Amino acid sequence: MKILPFRKTFFFLLLVMTCASLVFAQKVYQDQQIRFALWAARDAYPGYFDRAKKQSSAKASDNIYAVPVQRIKEVTPFLLEGMIYGWQFDYTPYDKARRVEEYFEFTPIQTLTDADKAQITYTKPWTQDDRLWCWVEFQRSPQMMHIFNSWQVITNPHIKGIGYAPLIDGFEGIQEACGEALKNAVREYERKLIKNKPKEIMGRVMITEPPLIGIEAGRYVVTLDFFLETDRIVKYETF
């Protein structure tokens, strides 16, 4: 009878640890080794997966994953460039009074080479909720570690943003949602510091956490965390 409370406590703690591992298993980020979970929809077209699944040949079985595998391999280098080298951006806020339209553009500071892409590994695939998941792993080179450490040493503000884009747009949709997340993060941060709306903001960011990519009402929803380095703020000289 005296052992029962201990056993209950033990199994409760075991359950908590198990649940915690499931929650955080898809969000891992290490200094030297980048590792995060990424997914792509299995059913690229309505009914495609169900029809292909009924076919018995091994070739057909492989084909049902061809599209999601391709999409994962398209998205991965794009995200890694933001984590390893960072993105640079040019932002012109919308200004109704001055009749200035909003403009935003972002590009990788440096792209991954073919040799770098060859070092990306995709491991332990699994399926869940009509999505193909896998772990993406990449080992930073000494030069990449130097870049990473330089962002850690400099006191850069931490910003966060959320972006949306149509799910039907695939890879381009994820790019668009990432751009919107970055724009929103920069806008909200600079709005708190700058009294009057600037003419232009230019800077650089580095992704500090694995991107969180989800679906909401037929749209991608992407949440990104960054370190921000503002290079230049251009103010309006006159109204």
Side-chain angles (χ1 to χ4, degrees), residues 14-208:
L14 181 62
L15 177 62
V16 171
M17 292 174 65
T18 302
C19 292
S21 66
L22 291 174
V23 171
F24 292 103
Q26 297 174 5
K27 187 178 181 181
V28 178
Y29 188 78
Q30 299 174 351
D31 292 356
Q32 190 165 5
Q33 183 190 51
I34 297 175
R35 186 173 187 262
F36 61 95
L38 190 61
W39 64 269
R42 292 190 303 181
D43 204 357
Y45 309 100
Y48 172 81
F49 179 77
D50 291 335
R51 291 194 301 272
K53 189 176 181 181
K54 294 178 181 179
Q55 301 180 29
S56 58
S57 68
K59 183 177 181 181
S61 178
D62 291 340
N63 286 339
I64 65 176
Y65 295 106
V67 172
V69 167
Q70 179 183 354
R71 288 185 175 177
I72 288 174
K73 290 187 175 182
E74 286 177 342
V75 173
T76 297
F78 165 73
L79 296 176
L80 285 176
E81 287 166 355
M83 295 178 176
I84 296 168
Y85 298 115
W87 296 332
Q88 54 193 4
F89 65 87
D90 188 345
Y91 176 41
T92 298
Y94 169 72
D95 194 318
K96 183 178 180 180
R98 294 184 173 90
R99 298 181 181 179
V100 175
E101 295 296 326
E102 182 181 71
Y103 170 81
F104 184 81
E105 182 182 36
F106 76 106
T107 56
I109 295 174
Q110 184 174 331
T111 59
L112 294 179
T113 65
D114 290 338
D116 292 331
K117 294 177 183 179
Q119 299 302 312
I120 303 172
T121 59
Y122 304 89
T123 64
K124 301 179 180 179
W126 76 94
T127 58
Q128 181 180 346
D129 299 329
D130 289 330
R131 301 178 189 178
L132 175 65
W133 288 81
C134 74
W135 285 100
V136 175
E137 299 177 353
F138 184 84
Q139 194 80 9
R140 297 181 195 266
S141 67
Q143 180 185 5
M144 293 173 181
M145 279 300 301
H146 176 73
I147 295 172
F148 177 81
N149 291 332
S150 67
W151 278 88
Q152 305 300 312
V153 172
I154 301 174
T155 305
N156 293 305
H158 179 267
I159 62 175
K160 183 175 184 176
I162 300 176
Y164 300 86
L167 184 64
I168 195 172
D169 290 347
F171 173 48
E172 288 76 15
I174 293 179
Q175 284 183 307
E176 181 182 343
C178 287
E180 185 176 272
L182 172 55
K183 179 190 70 177
N184 290 337
V186 172
R187 180 176 59 192
E188 291 305 311
Y189 175 77
E190 299 293 357
R191 181 181 292 174
K192 297 175 183 178
L193 300 180
I194 305 173
K195 183 178 180 180
N196 297 318
K197 187 177 295 185
K199 181 179 181 180
E200 187 178 21
I201 304 172
M202 289 170 282
R204 303 181 299 160
V205 294
M206 172 174 276
I207 299 175
T208 60

